[in-house]
Amino acid sequence: MKKVLILLLVFAAVTFAAKADKDGDVMVTLPNEAGIDQIALPGGFPIGTRATTEIIRDVWGGSDFNGNGKKEIILASYGVGGKAYVYEITDDNTAELLFETPDFGSEYTSAVRDVKWGDLDGNGEQELLVSVNSANGAKGGLWVFEYDTVGDSMRAPIQLFGDLATANRWYVENMFVEDVDGDGIQEFMVGNNGSTNDYDEYLIYSVTSGTFAAGDYVWTEEFKHERLDPTFP
């Protein structure tokens, strides 16, 4: 795991920026193989069923959940309750709502601060990863929505780290998905901001066997460093 830690020092995350132009259109910048693309979405995103308080906190892109060759943009709602939205770029400067999560009902006003996508179980079907901040074990943690390419819909979500939310709280600013140690399996990396120093910790997890779809996944801790640990590995 020392190799992972070294790689983390040089790991650069590509961010996806969004801003509004003078006409009120949303300008989204996305990287591609040729460089950087910027698309304009006239009138912005047609938000679906609004969360309790709709404040878009984060934007991420590059997924293709349904495998049709059209990339998607994912929005994280910062509002009370918390939601995430997936928009598919269907045409030139055109986005359509593909999927939205239910309102997670968190008690925090900063419920969903970050969203990502990946294929953590390596079965070829992408997952929408939504971090929900909460001290309620039934709500807080990482929620995994895997896309069923056969049924052409999101499967029922799976909750991870609910035990940590129960013990203290789950409060995450950023998370990353990457195969940082080159073993062919994506790692999930996150720092949790606990309500006490005992639960301030950095975690690396991965699915070491099974799949989310089959329900036999094994969610394995590869590394943990807590704020109060006397030494750093």
Side-chain angles (χ1 to χ4, degrees):
M1 192 50 65
K2 288 184 178 179
K3 181 179 178 182
V4 172
L5 295 175
I6 293 171
L7 287 172
L8 285 174
L9 295 177
V10 297
F11 178 73
V14 178
T15 57
F16 299 81
K19 62 181 180 179
D21 67 8
K22 64 181 181 180
D23 298 320
D25 299 341
V26 174
M27 308 296 294
V28 180
T29 302
L30 296 172
N32 60 34
E33 294 178 358
I36 299 293
D37 276 347
Q38 188 172 74
I39 62 174
L41 300 175
F45 292 96
I47 293 294
T49 304
R50 292 170 60 86
T52 309
T53 303
E54 200 71 66
I55 303 173
I56 300 304
R57 172 60 168 76
D58 191 26
V59 58
W60 200 249
S63 60
D64 182 11
F65 289 110
N66 55 12
N68 65 354
K70 297 178 180 179
K71 298 301 183 181
E72 295 124 3
I73 296 172
I74 309 169
L75 303 181
S77 171
Y78 191 46
V80 175
K83 295 186 71 170
Y85 301 90
V86 178
Y87 287 86
E88 185 175 75
I89 306 302
T90 56
D91 204 346
D92 186 30
N93 297 337
T94 304
E96 294 181 4
L97 182 64
L98 177 68
F99 174 75
E100 63 180 279
T101 69
D103 187 310
F104 288 101
S106 171
E107 73 278 20
Y108 288 170
T109 57
S110 52
V112 177
R113 300 178 67 95
D114 199 14
V115 288
K116 292 293 187 292
W117 65 273
D119 182 13
L120 292 172
D121 60 6
N123 69 345
E125 297 182 333
Q126 295 179 357
E127 301 114 9
L128 168 65
L129 308 173
V130 184
S131 174
V132 179
N133 294 334
S134 177
N136 184 326
K139 299 177 181 179
L142 179 68
W143 289 85
V144 180
F145 295 80
E146 185 174 69
Y147 201 89
D148 180 2
T149 53
V150 176
D152 198 28
S153 62
M154 288 289 188
R155 294 189 175 98
I158 291 173
Q159 182 191 21
L160 303 173
F161 299 113
D163 55 340
L164 201 158
T166 299
N168 183 256
R169 74 172 183 181
W170 179 263
Y171 198 91
V172 167
E173 301 275 353
N174 293 287
M175 55 188 181
F176 296 96
V177 178
E178 185 74 19
D179 177 13
V180 293
D181 56 5
D183 63 354
I185 300 173
Q186 290 182 341
E187 280 82 29
F188 175 80
M189 297 161 280
V190 68
N192 185 51
N193 180 13
S195 62
T196 67
N197 289 343
D198 291 336
Y199 289 91
D200 285 343
E201 51 194 13
Y202 180 78
L203 304 168
I204 300 177
Y205 272 73
S206 65
V207 176
T208 51
S209 66
T211 65
F212 293 119
D216 60 351
Y217 63 92
V218 177
W219 190 232
T220 302
E221 179 186 292
E222 293 193 23
F223 174 79
K224 178 169 74 172
H225 179 73
E226 298 180 344
R227 180 175 182 175
L228 297 182
D229 285 350
T231 60
F232 192 83

